[in-house]
Amino acid sequence: MGVVSFNSSHAFFSRISHYHPVNLCQIILEKISGMRFKENPLIKTSDIEPSIEGLKVECVLNPGVFKYQGKTWLLLRVAERPVQKENQISFPVLNGSGSMKIISFDTNDPDLDLSDARLVKHKGITYLSTISHLRLVQSDDGIHFSEPTDLCAEIHGKGPYETFGIEDCRVTQINDTFYLTYTQVSENGVGVGLMETRDWVHFERKGMILPPHNKDCSLFTEKINDNYYCFHRPSGIDIGGNFIWLASSKNLTHWGNQTCLIKTRPGYWDSVRIGAGAAPIKTERGWLSIYHGADENNRYCLGALLLDLDDPTKVVARSEAPIFEPIEEYETCGFFGNVVFTNGHLVNGDTISMYYGAADEVICGATLSISEILHSLKSEVVSKIITRLNINF
Ligand code: MAN
């Protein structure tokens, strides 16, 4: 079968009239051949020392990624709690001044809900079952990582908005400054914090830049028409949902011009929750973003989104089928199975080296081809036809 050009919707219409919907499906579904690193998982919980005695590392996941001084660096999310005793669930929380206390509940407590491994719900209060901090590791080859000896490798939650920890940091370099956008969790809610550093020794905390409920914030790598841009993911409580938004700013701390970019799609792999990954990649066809989507069964896959280069509020195209799915055992089984989640990658020519959390427990890597992803993306016009023909993926 020849390759169909989707550059012009007119050309597309004249050609699809020859196809039965099933054959049409074959044309539309060009699978992306993401190559997993054969060394996966690259980092396991047993590779990481607990931050303090008495805690156990339960998960190492969702790293921010950057290049610095010729090396590949990951800013890991390390999730810890005490070794669990029989018939008890216990987890740490910080107080506003940084000291830690352990909260425990009897697992037979009728007011306790442990149905989601990530959460502990008790009498109307939701806690996290682990507390996360961020930890730096470095590598010469992008595969074998170790903790640096000359830098303070750990960043912990601080102040009243991080008492349940900090998570899923995106690292964006703009000129010679690294900007860290990360999830802040506390009894006050889930928001987005910003930190900046030039040397990975001194950090300036800018506080919460997007209030609850919000997460999955990544900054664009450059200004567009004199504005900074970011993706973020507010959550509607009764009305709306878990959609990806775009905002712009003059100073990276005050964000406006809010645009709801893409929504969840009923019946699709991204039907319940979506959120942006790392900083989008500038390509000839537009800003390419890899985002995660979850369905009703909390299965997390990855897809691609393409935005106009000069006006990123315009959606050019979006994946119909996932470009990366949990398939390997280390992705389907673990602390929270059936999850691939990325918030960090490096780009070299056509190749994206993507690092991702698998089953919320280990860190893995895979390469993806930018041209292959772009080729798989159909214009919004084609997506609407697919929706109208009621073809589900
Ligand atoms: C949420 C976040 C991520 C996590 C996924 C899958 O989106 O908390 O940190 O990896 O869920 O559990």
Side-chain angles (χ1 to χ4, degrees):
M1 189 189 306
V3 176
V4 177
S5 161
F6 294 98
N7 289 341
S8 137
S9 57
H10 176 75
F12 177 76
F13 271 115
S14 60
R15 295 184 75 160
I16 60 164
S17 53
H18 302 295
Y19 293 102
H20 182 271
V22 174
N23 296 337
L24 181 63
C25 239
Q26 284 168 8
I27 304 168
I28 291 161
L29 246 184
E30 286 152 19
K31 282 272 176 194
I32 306 294
S33 50
M35 293 272 290
R36 288 166 173 80
F37 291 1
K38 66 177 187 326
E39 296 83 356
N40 280 349
L42 303 179
I43 307 176
K44 302 190 289 298
T45 54
S46 55
D47 300 326
I48 301 295
E49 288 289 322
S51 62
I52 52 168
E53 216 184 299
L55 293 186
K56 179 178 178 233
V57 175
E58 294 283 3
C59 321
V60 54
L61 67 167
N62 305 358
V65 183
F66 58 97
K67 275 271 184 201
Y68 181 59
Q69 295 181 337
K71 291 177 193 272
T72 299
W73 295 73
L74 303 185
L75 187 53
L76 317 174
R77 169 178 165 198
V78 179
E80 303 174 294
R81 65 180 170 192
V83 175
Q84 299 295 287
K85 295 194 183 117
E86 219 183 337
N87 301 326
Q88 230 183 44
I89 176 100
S90 56
F91 54 90
V93 296
L94 300 171
N95 70 22
S97 57
S99 62
M100 183 177 277
K101 75 169 180 187
I102 306 295
I103 299 181
S104 301
F105 295 111
D106 188 331
T107 46
N108 296 319
D109 186 332
D111 293 317
L112 194 66
D113 176 356
L114 300 176
S115 55
D116 185 321
R118 301 166 298 184
L119 308 173
V120 176
K121 296 183 186 177
H122 187 253
K123 290 192 176 166
I125 303 179
T126 302
Y127 305 91
L128 295 179
S129 60
T130 56
I131 192 165
S132 292
H133 66 276
L134 307 176
R135 184 121 31 129
L136 282 169
V137 291
Q138 62 180 6
S139 169
D140 289 322
D141 61 6
I143 290 167
H144 303 93
F145 287 90
S146 62
E147 289 196 36
T149 47
D150 53 340
L151 294 177
C152 168
E154 293 176 18
I155 308 174
H156 287 267
K158 201 174 174 184
Y161 303 122
E162 300 178 357
T163 53
F164 292 0
I166 54 177
E167 308 181 348
D168 301 350
C169 188
R170 279 83 173 159
V171 178
T172 301
Q173 185 175 1
I174 306 177
N175 303 321
D176 56 357
T177 303
F178 296 92
Y179 295 92
L180 282 57
T181 48
Y182 59 97
T183 307
Q184 304 174 293
V185 194
S186 74
E187 60 278 348
N188 302 298
V190 176
V192 175
L194 174 70
M195 246 182 247
E196 54 183 73
T197 183
R198 284 166 185 240
D199 56 9
W200 293 96
V201 175
H202 305 95
F203 295 86
E204 198 180 331
R205 292 191 187 230
K206 300 285 192 180
M208 188 177 280
I209 55 167
L210 295 165
H213 187 112
N214 208 320
K215 51 168 47 178
D216 299 325
C217 175
S218 50
L219 305 177
F220 283 51
T221 48
E222 60 185 73
K223 283 182 172 180
I224 304 163
N225 299 323
D226 211 29
N227 286 307
Y228 293 107
Y229 278 87
C230 80
F231 292 120
H232 64 108
R233 209 289 298 283
S235 290
I237 300 170
D238 295 320
I239 298 178
N242 302 298
F243 309 147
I244 297 180
W245 288 64
L246 185 82
S248 69
S249 171
K250 291 287 180 202
N251 57 13
L252 293 166
T253 50
H254 297 91
W255 293 90
N257 294 319
Q258 304 289 344
T259 306
C260 183
L261 268 189
I262 56 166
K263 294 190 168 70
T264 46
R265 297 177 289 192
Y268 273 61
W269 55 276
D270 53 1
S271 56
V272 172
R273 210 170 295 116
I274 50 178
I281 301 161
K282 194 175 188 184
T283 75
E284 271 178 18
R285 279 186 56 197
W287 291 99
L288 175 65
S289 163
I290 299 178
Y291 73 94
H292 66 263
D295 66 12
E296 288 77 3
N297 298 316
N298 271 325
R299 183 171 188 264
Y300 282 70
C301 298
L302 304 177
L305 173 68
L306 192 65
L307 306 176
D308 187 89
L309 270 187
D310 295 323
D311 179 2
T313 63
K314 288 188 188 145
V315 175
V316 177
R318 174 181 182 181
S319 297
E320 291 294 327
I323 61 169
F324 204 80
E325 299 182 66
I327 291 166
E328 297 294 332
E329 201 181 337
Y330 51 77
E331 297 163 344
T332 56
C333 302
F335 186 81
F336 197 73
N338 285 317
V339 172
V340 288
F341 185 102
T342 186
N343 48 287
H345 56 231
L346 295 175
V347 178
N348 186 3
D350 185 54
T351 304
I352 303 172
S353 296
M354 176 179 84
Y355 293 85
Y356 64 99
D360 276 0
E361 188 171 322
V362 292
I363 288 177
C364 298
T367 54
L368 295 160
S369 152
I370 294 176
S371 52
E372 211 179 316
I373 297 173
L374 291 177
H375 186 72
S376 77
L377 288 172
K378 315 302 176 232
S379 74
E380 279 292 271
V381 177
V382 177
S383 298
K384 283 192 180 114
I385 300 167
I386 294 166
T387 310
R388 225 176 298 140
L389 289 174
N390 203 14
I391 302 168
N392 285 334
F393 299 95

